[in-house]
Amino acid sequence: MHTFLASSSMQVSVLPNHFQPMKIVALGDSLIYGFGDPEKGGWIEQLRRWWMLPDSPGHVLYNLGVRGDRTQQVAQRLEVEFRHRGELRNRVPDLIILSVGVNDSARLARPDGRSYTDFTLFEKEIATLLDLAQQLCPVLFVGMVPVDEAKMPFLDCFYYNHTDQNRYKEATRIACNKRQIPYLDIFEQWMERGESWRLKRLSKDGLHPNTLGYQALLEDATNWDAIHSVGFTNAAYHSQFDYHIKPF
C-alpha cells in the first residue's frame, strides 16, 4: 500500500522564494493530461487540487496536456498557451513543467517500421522546444514512463519499445543538461524497480500509467531534488481526499 503525504509548502528549487502563489503551466502529452487514471486524473491534477486547499501555498496550476502530442506540437502551442495564463494581475506564469517525447519514439505499422519522428529531427525539435520554453520562464522536465512491450501495438499501429524510448529520452536528458534544465529520469527510475513493479503501474493498453502508476509518478516528482517537499498532516486534507491506493 502506498500513501503519499502532500506538501504544505511545496516550492520549486529553481525559483527564488515566493511570498505570493506561483502560476505554473504543465505542457506535454497524455502523461501530463493524466490519461489512464479515472480515479484521480493523474499526477498534475492531484497537485492542482492540493494547491487549492485553504492552508496550501495556493499555487495556480494549469494542465495543458494533449493526448498524442509530439514535441513539435507542444512547441507550436507553447507560447500561446503561456501568454494566455496571465489572469492574476495580468502576470505571466512563473514556471513551465514539460513532459513529452514518448509519442515521437513510436514505430509505425510494424516493430521495425519508421519512427514517428525521425531521431535526427527529434533532436532538433527538442532543442527548439527547450530554447523556446527557457526564454519564457524557468523550466522543469519530467521524463517518460517505460511501456509494456508485450502489449504493443497501441491502437493497432504504434509500436513502442524500451530501446527507442531510452534513445529519445537520453537525447532529451542531454539537451536539458546543456541548458541547465532539471530533468527527472522517470524511465531510468522505473526500469530499476523491476518488471513486476512496473507492470502493476501500467494500464491495460501498456502505454499509460494507471492510478497506482500516477501515484508513483507523483511521489517521484515531489521527492525530486528540483522540488522541495515536506510532510503534510492537515486533517481537513485527509478527510477531503483519500490518497490511499489499494494494491492490485
Side-chain angles (χ1 to χ4, degrees):
M1 180 178 293
H2 288 255
T3 303
F4 183 80
L5 297 178
S7 171
S8 61
S9 60
M10 201 169 289
Q11 298 290 337
V12 182
S13 62
V14 296
L15 298 173
N17 291 331
H18 280 249
F19 297 98
Q20 298 294 327
M22 293 191 300
K23 284 191 302 180
I24 303 167
V25 291
L27 291 103
D29 51 32
S30 55
L31 202 64
I32 291 290
Y33 179 77
F35 186 80
D37 184 4
E39 295 180 33
K40 298 173 184 176
W43 72 282
I44 291 293
E45 174 63 13
Q46 292 183 62
L47 279 178
R48 187 185 71 85
R49 293 183 186 186
W50 290 345
W51 286 336
M52 292 173 66
L53 293 172
D55 56 355
S56 78
H59 302 321
V60 178
L61 176 58
Y62 291 98
N63 185 330
L64 305 176
V66 176
R67 290 183 61 195
D69 259 12
R70 291 181 287 164
T71 301
Q72 183 185 50
Q73 293 164 307
V74 174
Q76 287 173 343
R77 62 186 176 90
L78 172 66
E79 187 166 3
V80 172
E81 298 270 30
F82 179 86
R83 298 293 181 190
H84 282 80
R85 292 332 186 268
E87 87 293 349
L88 296 180
R89 290 179 297 211
N90 205 34
R91 292 192 304 113
V92 294
D94 304 293
L95 175 72
I96 295 172
I97 298 174
L98 292 174
S99 184
V100 69
V102 65
N103 295 314
D104 295 278
S105 74
R107 299 273 180 169
L108 300 180
R110 60 182 189 271
D112 61 347
R114 70 176 180 86
S115 299
Y116 198 9
T117 302
D118 176 78
F119 182 72
T120 301
L121 178 60
F122 174 77
E123 289 182 303
K124 296 177 182 177
E125 291 179 346
I126 197 68
T128 297
L129 173 63
L130 296 177
D131 288 340
L132 288 172
Q134 210 167 31
Q135 290 171 14
L136 298 173
C137 71
V139 182
L140 297 178
F141 201 109
V142 176
M144 66 181 74
V145 168
V147 303
D148 180 358
E149 295 177 315
K151 296 291 181 66
M152 298 301 117
F154 177 70
L155 298 178
D156 298 322
C157 179
F158 299 99
Y159 289 82
Y160 297 84
N161 67 77
H162 293 163
T163 299
D164 286 327
Q165 278 194 283
N166 186 66
R167 188 182 184 202
Y168 282 67
K169 77 92 177 171
E170 273 297 289
T172 305
R173 185 186 62 80
I174 291 170
C176 285
N177 287 346
K178 287 181 178 179
R179 294 160 177 80
Q180 297 184 317
I181 293 174
Y183 178 86
L184 180 58
D185 197 338
I186 293 292
F187 183 89
E188 185 68 21
Q189 290 186 18
W190 282 36
M191 290 296 288
E192 289 177 352
R193 293 168 186 166
E195 183 178 27
S196 177
W197 185 94
R198 292 196 310 273
L199 295 183
K200 291 178 181 178
R201 288 160 179 81
L202 290 175
S203 299
K204 291 181 180 180
D205 63 20
L207 178 60
H208 300 98
N210 55 27
T211 298
L212 190 62
Y214 279 109
Q215 182 72 16
L217 181 56
L218 177 64
E219 294 179 13
D220 290 335
T222 53
N223 288 323
W224 185 19
D225 288 343
I227 296 178
H228 295 294
S229 179
V230 299
F232 184 81
T233 57
N234 185 294
Y237 163 82
H238 288 292
S239 66
Q240 187 174 0
F241 300 107
D242 179 15
Y243 286 92
H244 294 268
I245 306 296
K246 295 180 180 179
F248 282 29

